[in-house]
Amino acid sequence: MPNRACESAVMILLSLATALPAWAEDAPQATHVPPPLDEAATIRVLLAPELETTLSSQMAGTLTELRGSFGQRVAKSAPLARFNCSEAQARAKVAAAELAMARQNLDAKKSLRKLDAVGDLEVSMANTEVQKADGAQAMAAAQSSYCQVLAPFAGRVAKVHVKPYQTVSAGTPLFDLVSDGDLKVRLNVPSTRLKHLKPGMPLEVNIVETGKQYPAHISVINARVDAVAQTVELEAQLDNKYPELIAGMSGTARFPDDHE
């Protein structure tokens, strides 16, 4: 019996060994995967405008005129919107009248002082009232200036947040404005490459939307490393102006002289 058991065990092992190639054919085969491209040399980039801002309302009121429109190119100090300023203008008139009255009172006090009819204290108090009224007029003038929204720099309107005749509160976003100046290239690179980077270093920028490559150079290196991501932020400038490029486009950048 033991011999028969041993023979059976040997036969089973031989059958398994014979069937192994069939299993190997059905099993997933390991394939040679080519090494990935050097990700340290290729960096994601974003094109950003030199200046961009969201213009907000500095007063509560109703928009009576909306000149800025989506995509419109505007010059510096061009009017974009105007509010109903009846109340602000009325306050400005009241402030101007109060200032005129305070000055007249001061002149009268000075004349009486020459006649020794009033003391120095009354003249000083009248002078303080003039200063107070002058400040009130300056504040009223500043509030009146909020009635008109002007473009702080030349550029294009990227978004309009409001509609004509809409009543808004102070701080309500009105327009998104981007400058017409040169575009900036923003990118983050691994902090291990920091020792090889310096302003003026060339790089090649590939933009997805155009499918083209553009020469650029590093202009700014951030003074702080992101300890979590272990990257450092850079800004680069394109070597020339390209009309087809606009803010928001993205792509990749490569340092051609980097042989790491």
Side-chain angles (χ1 to χ4, degrees), residues 74-79 150-155 177:
V74 296
K76 182 178 180 181
S77 300
L150 305 178
F153 50 81
L177 189 66

Side-chain angles (χ1 to χ4, degrees), residues 29 67 159 172:
Q29 299 295 313
R67 295 187 179 180
K159 187 174 182 179
T172 300

Side-chain angles (χ1 to χ4, degrees), residues 59-208:
M59 61 175 291
T62 301
L63 290 163
T64 57
E65 188 177 359
L66 203 63
R67 295 187 179 180
S69 58
F70 176 72
Q72 178 184 359
R73 180 173 277 105
V74 296
K76 182 178 180 181
S77 300
L80 299 177
R82 189 183 299 274
F83 285 87
N84 182 348
C85 263
S86 300
E87 183 178 349
Q89 291 171 352
R91 286 197 298 266
K93 290 181 179 179
V94 171
E98 290 179 346
L99 177 59
M101 184 173 61
R103 286 175 174 168
Q104 291 174 2
N105 184 52
L106 176 60
D107 292 340
K109 296 292 184 183
K110 288 181 177 179
S111 298
L112 292 173
R113 181 68 187 90
K114 293 179 180 179
L115 300 174
D116 290 331
V118 296
D120 292 337
L121 179 59
E122 292 186 32
V123 174
S124 178
M125 292 176 63
N127 187 54
T128 301
E129 289 297 324
V130 170
Q131 294 176 4
K132 181 180 177 181
D134 187 53
Q137 186 188 42
M139 182 180 294
Q143 291 175 344
S144 295
S145 68
Y146 300 159
C147 297
Q148 187 171 229
V149 180
L150 305 178
F153 50 81
R156 299 183 68 178
V157 179
K159 187 174 182 179
V160 181
H161 295 272
V162 292
K163 298 178 180 179
Y165 309 110
Q166 181 177 343
T167 299
V168 300
S169 58
T172 300
L174 302 177
F175 304 95
D176 288 349
L177 189 66
V178 297
S179 68
D180 268 344
D182 296 336
L183 294 173
K184 297 185 293 186
V185 182
R186 292 181 177 173
L187 60 157
N188 291 322
V189 303
S191 56
T192 54
R193 299 169 57 90
L194 187 58
K195 60 184 177 181
H196 303 292
L197 302 175
K198 61 181 179 179
M201 177 180 289
L203 66 152
E204 299 169 353
V205 178
N206 295 278
I207 300 301
V208 174

Side-chain angles (χ1 to χ4, degrees), residues 17-29:
T18 304
L20 184 59
W23 293 356
E25 292 178 358
D26 296 336
Q29 299 295 313

Side-chain angles (χ1 to χ4, degrees), residues 16-40:
L16 290 174
T18 304
L20 184 59
W23 293 356
E25 292 178 358
D26 296 336
Q29 299 295 313
T31 57
H32 175 70
V33 179
L37 295 175
D38 184 9
E39 296 182 357

